[in-house]
Short mmCIF file of all heavy atoms in Angstrom, two decimals:
data_model
loop_
_atom_site.label_atom_id
_atom_site.label_comp_id
_atom_site.label_asym_id
_atom_site.label_seq_id
_atom_site.Cartn_x
_atom_site.Cartn_y
_atom_site.Cartn_z
N ALA A 266 -55.03 10.38 38.92
CA ALA A 266 -55.75 10.92 40.07
C ALA A 266 -56.54 12.16 39.68
O ALA A 266 -57.68 12.37 40.14
CB ALA A 266 -54.77 11.24 41.20
N ALA A 267 -55.96 13.01 38.83
CA ALA A 267 -56.65 14.22 38.38
C ALA A 267 -57.92 13.86 37.60
O ALA A 267 -58.95 14.55 37.71
CB ALA A 267 -55.72 15.07 37.53
N GLU A 268 -57.87 12.79 36.84
CA GLU A 268 -59.06 12.35 36.10
C GLU A 268 -60.16 11.89 37.06
O GLU A 268 -61.35 12.10 36.80
CB GLU A 268 -58.67 11.24 35.14
CG GLU A 268 -57.82 11.74 33.96
CD GLU A 268 -57.20 10.62 33.14
OE1 GLU A 268 -57.39 9.43 33.52
OE2 GLU A 268 -56.51 10.92 32.16
N LEU A 269 -59.78 11.27 38.16
CA LEU A 269 -60.76 10.89 39.17
C LEU A 269 -61.38 12.13 39.82
O LEU A 269 -62.58 12.14 40.14
CB LEU A 269 -60.12 10.01 40.24
CG LEU A 269 -59.76 8.59 39.82
CD1 LEU A 269 -58.99 7.89 40.94
CD2 LEU A 269 -61.01 7.79 39.47
N CYS A 270 -60.57 13.18 40.01
CA CYS A 270 -61.12 14.43 40.54
C CYS A 270 -62.20 14.97 39.60
O CYS A 270 -63.28 15.40 40.04
CB CYS A 270 -60.01 15.46 40.71
SG CYS A 270 -58.88 15.14 42.08
N GLU A 271 -61.92 14.94 38.31
CA GLU A 271 -62.90 15.41 37.33
C GLU A 271 -64.16 14.55 37.38
O GLU A 271 -65.28 15.06 37.34
CB GLU A 271 -62.30 15.39 35.94
CG GLU A 271 -63.22 15.93 34.87
CD GLU A 271 -62.57 15.99 33.50
OE1 GLU A 271 -61.41 15.57 33.37
OE2 GLU A 271 -63.23 16.47 32.55
N LYS A 272 -63.98 13.26 37.50
CA LYS A 272 -65.12 12.33 37.55
C LYS A 272 -66.04 12.66 38.72
O LYS A 272 -67.27 12.57 38.59
CB LYS A 272 -64.59 10.90 37.68
CG LYS A 272 -65.66 9.85 37.94
CD LYS A 272 -65.03 8.47 38.13
CE LYS A 272 -66.07 7.43 38.54
NZ LYS A 272 -65.45 6.09 38.76
N HIS A 273 -65.46 13.05 39.85
CA HIS A 273 -66.25 13.30 41.06
C HIS A 273 -66.52 14.79 41.30
O HIS A 273 -66.97 15.16 42.39
CB HIS A 273 -65.55 12.68 42.27
CG HIS A 273 -65.56 11.18 42.26
ND1 HIS A 273 -66.65 10.44 42.63
CD2 HIS A 273 -64.60 10.28 41.89
CE1 HIS A 273 -66.37 9.15 42.50
NE2 HIS A 273 -65.13 9.02 42.06
N GLY A 274 -66.26 15.62 40.30
CA GLY A 274 -66.59 17.03 40.41
C GLY A 274 -65.73 17.80 41.39
O GLY A 274 -66.19 18.78 41.97
N ARG A 275 -64.48 17.36 41.58
CA ARG A 275 -63.57 18.02 42.50
C ARG A 275 -62.44 18.68 41.70
O ARG A 275 -61.68 18.00 41.02
CB ARG A 275 -62.92 17.02 43.48
CG ARG A 275 -63.87 16.20 44.29
CD ARG A 275 -64.09 16.65 45.70
NE ARG A 275 -63.05 17.28 46.42
CZ ARG A 275 -62.24 16.67 47.30
NH1 ARG A 275 -62.33 15.38 47.51
NH2 ARG A 275 -61.36 17.37 47.98
N PRO A 276 -62.29 19.99 41.77
CA PRO A 276 -61.15 20.61 41.11
C PRO A 276 -59.84 20.19 41.78
O PRO A 276 -59.80 19.97 43.00
CB PRO A 276 -61.40 22.11 41.28
CG PRO A 276 -62.30 22.22 42.46
CD PRO A 276 -63.14 20.98 42.47
N VAL A 277 -58.80 20.04 40.99
CA VAL A 277 -57.48 19.75 41.53
C VAL A 277 -56.92 21.02 42.15
O VAL A 277 -56.89 22.08 41.52
CB VAL A 277 -56.54 19.24 40.42
CG1 VAL A 277 -55.12 19.06 40.97
CG2 VAL A 277 -57.06 17.92 39.85
N ALA A 278 -56.51 20.95 43.41
CA ALA A 278 -56.01 22.13 44.11
C ALA A 278 -54.71 22.63 43.49
O ALA A 278 -53.80 21.85 43.23
CB ALA A 278 -55.79 21.82 45.58
N THR A 279 -54.63 23.92 43.26
CA THR A 279 -53.37 24.53 42.87
C THR A 279 -52.45 24.57 44.08
O THR A 279 -52.88 24.38 45.23
CB THR A 279 -53.59 25.96 42.36
OG1 THR A 279 -54.03 26.78 43.47
CG2 THR A 279 -54.63 25.99 41.25
N TRP A 280 -51.18 24.87 43.85
CA TRP A 280 -50.27 24.94 45.00
C TRP A 280 -50.67 26.07 45.95
O TRP A 280 -50.55 25.92 47.17
CB TRP A 280 -48.82 25.09 44.54
CG TRP A 280 -48.46 26.36 43.79
CD1 TRP A 280 -48.39 26.51 42.44
CD2 TRP A 280 -48.12 27.63 44.36
NE1 TRP A 280 -48.02 27.79 42.12
CE2 TRP A 280 -47.83 28.50 43.28
CE3 TRP A 280 -48.00 28.12 45.66
CZ2 TRP A 280 -47.46 29.83 43.47
CZ3 TRP A 280 -47.63 29.44 45.85
CH2 TRP A 280 -47.36 30.28 44.77
N ARG A 281 -51.21 27.15 45.42
CA ARG A 281 -51.66 28.24 46.28
C ARG A 281 -52.85 27.79 47.15
O ARG A 281 -52.91 28.07 48.35
CB ARG A 281 -52.05 29.47 45.45
CG ARG A 281 -50.87 30.27 44.93
CD ARG A 281 -51.33 31.61 44.37
NE ARG A 281 -50.19 32.44 44.01
CZ ARG A 281 -49.58 32.42 42.82
NH1 ARG A 281 -50.02 31.59 41.87
NH2 ARG A 281 -48.56 33.20 42.59
N GLN A 282 -53.80 27.11 46.52
CA GLN A 282 -54.94 26.61 47.28
C GLN A 282 -54.49 25.59 48.32
O GLN A 282 -54.98 25.59 49.45
CB GLN A 282 -55.96 25.98 46.33
CG GLN A 282 -56.70 26.98 45.46
CD GLN A 282 -57.56 26.30 44.41
OE1 GLN A 282 -57.16 25.30 43.80
NE2 GLN A 282 -58.76 26.83 44.19
N ALA A 283 -53.56 24.73 47.95
CA ALA A 283 -53.07 23.71 48.88
C ALA A 283 -52.41 24.35 50.09
O ALA A 283 -52.63 23.93 51.24
CB ALA A 283 -52.11 22.77 48.18
N ARG A 284 -51.62 25.38 49.86
CA ARG A 284 -50.98 26.08 50.98
C ARG A 284 -52.02 26.72 51.89
O ARG A 284 -51.88 26.69 53.12
CB ARG A 284 -49.99 27.12 50.45
CG ARG A 284 -48.71 26.52 49.91
CD ARG A 284 -47.72 27.56 49.39
NE ARG A 284 -46.49 26.92 48.98
CZ ARG A 284 -45.47 26.63 49.79
NH1 ARG A 284 -45.54 26.98 51.07
NH2 ARG A 284 -44.40 26.01 49.35
N GLN A 285 -53.04 27.28 51.30
CA GLN A 285 -54.09 27.90 52.11
C GLN A 285 -54.85 26.85 52.90
O GLN A 285 -55.13 27.03 54.10
CB GLN A 285 -55.03 28.69 51.21
CG GLN A 285 -56.13 29.43 51.97
CD GLN A 285 -57.00 30.28 51.04
OE1 GLN A 285 -57.15 29.95 49.86
NE2 GLN A 285 -57.59 31.31 51.58
N ILE A 286 -55.22 25.74 52.27
CA ILE A 286 -55.96 24.68 52.94
C ILE A 286 -55.18 24.13 54.12
O ILE A 286 -55.74 23.85 55.20
CB ILE A 286 -56.30 23.56 51.93
CG1 ILE A 286 -57.35 24.04 50.91
CG2 ILE A 286 -56.82 22.31 52.66
CD1 ILE A 286 -57.48 23.13 49.71
N LEU A 287 -53.87 23.98 53.94
CA LEU A 287 -53.03 23.36 54.97
C LEU A 287 -52.43 24.36 55.95
O LEU A 287 -51.74 23.98 56.90
CB LEU A 287 -51.91 22.55 54.31
CG LEU A 287 -52.37 21.37 53.46
CD1 LEU A 287 -51.18 20.74 52.73
CD2 LEU A 287 -53.08 20.34 54.31
N GLY A 288 -52.71 25.65 55.73
CA GLY A 288 -52.21 26.67 56.65
C GLY A 288 -50.71 26.87 56.57
O GLY A 288 -50.06 27.18 57.58
N LEU A 289 -50.15 26.71 55.39
CA LEU A 289 -48.71 26.87 55.20
C LEU A 289 -48.35 28.29 54.80
O LEU A 289 -49.16 29.01 54.22
CB LEU A 289 -48.20 25.89 54.14
CG LEU A 289 -48.41 24.41 54.43
CD1 LEU A 289 -47.98 23.58 53.24
CD2 LEU A 289 -47.65 24.00 55.68
N ARG A 290 -47.11 28.65 55.07
CA ARG A 290 -46.63 29.97 54.69
C ARG A 290 -46.68 30.14 53.18
O ARG A 290 -46.42 29.20 52.43
CB ARG A 290 -45.21 30.20 55.20
CG ARG A 290 -44.20 29.13 54.78
CD ARG A 290 -42.85 29.36 55.45
NE ARG A 290 -41.89 28.30 55.12
CZ ARG A 290 -41.69 27.22 55.85
NH1 ARG A 290 -42.38 27.05 56.97
NH2 ARG A 290 -40.79 26.31 55.50
N ASP A 291 -47.03 31.32 52.75
CA ASP A 291 -47.09 31.60 51.33
C ASP A 291 -45.69 31.86 50.81
O ASP A 291 -44.77 32.15 51.56
CB ASP A 291 -47.98 32.84 51.07
CG ASP A 291 -48.46 32.91 49.64
OD1 ASP A 291 -48.15 31.98 48.86
OD2 ASP A 291 -49.13 33.90 49.28
#
């Protein structure tokens, strides 16, 4: 899946980014 992200120019979200995107507690 990460390779597909690279193919389509999408960085793989870090856990910190994922928490921010989803509005979760840090």
Side-chain angles (χ1 to χ4, degrees):
E268 289 169 357
L269 288 174
C270 288
E271 183 176 3
K272 172 183 174 181
H273 291 281
R275 304 259 328 262
V277 175
T279 67
W280 64 263
R281 283 192 173 88
Q282 289 173 319
R284 285 181 176 274
Q285 183 177 28
I286 291 166
L287 296 174
L289 299 175
R290 55 186 177 267
D291 199 3

